[in-house]
Amino acid sequence: MSATETAALPLRAARRSAVARRAHTLMLPTVQDDASEDGQLICRYADGDVAAFERLYEKHRLPLWRFLRRHLREEAATADVFQETWTRVVANADRYRPTAPFGAWLYRIAHHCCVDHWRRSGRTKRREVANDDALAALPDTVARGPAEHAMHAQAAEALHAAVAQLPDEQRAAFLMYAEGGLSLAEIALATDVGLETAKSRLRYAAAKLRLAMTAAGQGDGT
Amino acid sequence: MTGRPAEDRELMRELDALSRARGREPGDAPPAAVDAAVLARARAAAGRRRVPAWWIPATLAATVVIAFSLMLRVQEDATTVPAAMEAAGPGEGRAAPAAAAAAPASAEVAGTPPQVAVQAPSAAPPPPEAASSQADVATLRAAPSAKTAAPPPDPEAWLAKIEALEAAGRTEEAAAERERLEAAYPGWLEQRARGRD
């Protein structure tokens, strides 16, 4: 790194910390702990540090791949969208601002890439239907608990099938939680919705999956 | 998460249980070729990013400054070279180079292009103050060029010309030229006359 680039680093850092302070004032989620490290890594990459990107990639490649694979359910499309997501991360690294954690930013890009892919392929969106009555009719708790059913491969398979059957928004929210490890607030940011909407989607998804697990357990005769 | 923490905790617990229940599929990772492609793209982009952001504007600014100074230099040369060439000619030609030099010089002072300023005096003479200031500038510009680029002609040739003027009956012009010769070569005429004696 040249002397001039090194001199420019404190300026960028100051600008980013100013943005972070403003975000904190607005009560937006700011980068903290582990997410803060990710934020620093992407900023270092934006300044030309390739090793920082490699570390970031190593950390997020598996969760993102699994998220896309479960969400898209097509092997070839998964590879394409995965590469497209990282290409956009690379191209926009210098635009990243710590007003949102890196994870939320990454999955937001991935989410948009999925939508673009479906639009290109002419797939019709599977819309969620907000039906509180249907949600209320679902059992409150899993009859034997999900952990018990996880012991059975058939139950896990039924769960995967049930995830695949979820409406796009609910599936994205559940997979961001389950595969990406995103918090509720991060899921809301990544999917461009409010916190309550994100929570509602997760609640619907959980209820439907719970029902699928129960049905699989009964079908299994256990 | 702030409104109903108990409900949210219950939801999180259930989501965690469901996440664990799904298990992991073997080979659930991006192929090596995909990893290589992503990392290659990231390295290529970082290489491009190493050029600092200020580099392009700084290069442009430097180019403009160099081009402008070169243009000024060329313009300066264009005004001084003809002046020197004309000043190198015989006596009466000396005033002309100064006037020729004065036009571009006054044009530079007024901030107008030289070709416009050359024609300007015939169309609309400048006001007296402007004319005097332009003349000062012209004198300043012409003086060094006359000193350096117009040495006086050979005295013998000059004297021959004077004698020719006298022979032709143009005594006033001859006398004036003789004065100039005396001024250019003080004591030369006397020395020459003594030598002949």
Side-chain angles (χ1 to χ4, degrees):
Chain A
M1 196 177 286
S2 71
T4 47
E5 282 176 294
T6 313
L9 288 179
L11 287 173
R12 287 193 192 194
R15 199 167 60 229
R16 285 186 178 120
S17 63
V19 172
R21 275 200 303 275
R22 198 160 55 244
H24 183 71
T25 314
L26 295 169
M27 298 305 286
L28 290 170
T30 51
V31 180
Q32 287 170 355
D33 304 332
D34 195 36
S36 165
E37 192 201 341
D38 289 350
Q40 285 168 6
L41 288 173
I42 191 69
C43 291
R44 273 169 52 197
Y45 172 65
D47 292 331
D49 184 352
V50 179
F53 180 84
E54 287 170 352
R55 203 165 149 197
L56 198 63
Y57 180 71
E58 190 53 41
K59 198 171 167 184
H60 289 278
R61 61 188 271 276
L62 281 180
L64 182 67
W65 177 267
R66 287 175 189 147
F67 164 76
L68 291 172
R69 196 164 171 223
R70 307 270 184 276
H71 197 30
L72 295 165
R73 287 161 293 144
E74 298 168 61
E75 199 68 38
T78 301
D80 288 347
V81 174
F82 181 82
Q83 288 192 65
E84 175 63 21
T85 302
W86 284 108
T87 301
R88 289 192 195 181
V89 168
V90 163
N92 295 293
D94 51 357
R95 290 187 199 166
Y96 171 78
R97 295 286 178 272
T99 49
F102 175 76
W105 189 64
L106 174 67
Y107 280 83
R108 189 167 190 254
I109 292 172
H111 183 60
H112 288 172
C113 287
C114 289
V115 172
D116 289 347
H117 165 74
W118 284 326
R119 195 176 294 142
R120 278 196 303 270
S121 61
R123 173 190 176 277
T124 51
K125 191 179 179 185
R126 189 183 296 157
R127 293 197 168 277
E128 62 185 333
V129 180
N131 187 344
D132 289 338
D133 294 337
L135 184 63
L138 292 170
D140 280 344
T141 53
V142 180
R144 274 180 286 268
E148 262 184 81
H149 288 293
M151 302 301 288
H152 306 281
Q154 199 178 342
E157 203 176 301
L159 189 52
H160 280 297
V163 170
Q165 292 302 312
L166 289 173
D168 291 344
E169 288 88 351
Q170 291 173 18
R171 191 171 63 253
F174 175 73
L175 290 173
M176 281 180 191
Y177 183 88
E179 301 290 2
L182 266 60
S183 68
L184 255 174
E186 288 171 339
I187 292 169
L189 280 172
T191 52
D192 296 319
V193 295
L195 193 65
E196 284 305 316
T197 306
K199 206 186 293 181
S200 169
R201 284 175 179 175
L202 281 172
R203 199 172 285 130
Y204 272 104
K208 285 174 187 171
L209 295 177
R210 187 197 314 144
L211 187 64
M213 291 286 283
T214 308
Q218 284 164 356
D220 198 24
T222 53
Chain B
M1 292 277 283
T2 52
R4 292 162 289 180
E7 271 182 45
D8 291 343
R9 270 200 300 276
E10 183 62 34
L11 176 63
M12 296 297 117
R13 254 201 303 275
E14 189 164 15
L15 287 169
D16 287 341
L18 287 165
S19 301
R20 280 196 304 273
R22 287 163 55 253
R24 288 276 172 266
E25 290 177 15
D28 209 359
V34 171
D35 284 341
V38 169
L39 291 172
R41 213 162 288 169
R43 282 186 200 111
R48 284 194 297 275
R49 233 177 237 127
R50 278 182 198 282
V51 175
W54 52 265
W55 180 253
I56 293 172
T59 308
L60 281 173
T63 307
V64 168
V65 167
I66 291 168
F68 188 69
S69 57
L70 272 175
M71 195 183 75
L72 282 180
R73 184 70 187 266
V74 166
Q75 209 171 26
E76 184 110 344
D77 288 350
T79 56
T80 53
V81 168
M85 285 174 73
E86 296 220 11
E92 59 270 352
R94 286 192 186 186
S106 62
E108 279 175 33
V109 168
T112 51
Q115 60 269 24
V116 176
V118 166
Q119 291 174 349
S122 61
E129 305 88 45
S132 65
S133 67
Q134 283 176 5
D136 291 344
V137 172
T139 313
L140 284 170
R141 291 243 171 193
S145 64
K147 265 185 197 166
T148 54
D154 176 50
E156 288 290 349
W158 200 346
L159 185 61
K161 192 186 165 193
I162 292 166
E163 285 168 355
L165 285 172
E166 283 169 346
R170 294 159 65 183
T171 50
E172 283 183 14
E173 286 177 53
E177 283 298 311
R178 194 176 283 276
E179 275 178 29
R180 281 192 206 129
L181 175 62
E182 181 58 33
Y185 298 98
W188 182 81
L189 282 171
E190 198 179 342
Q191 201 174 5
R192 189 174 178 278
R194 255 193 250 129
R196 280 196 175 176
D197 292 340

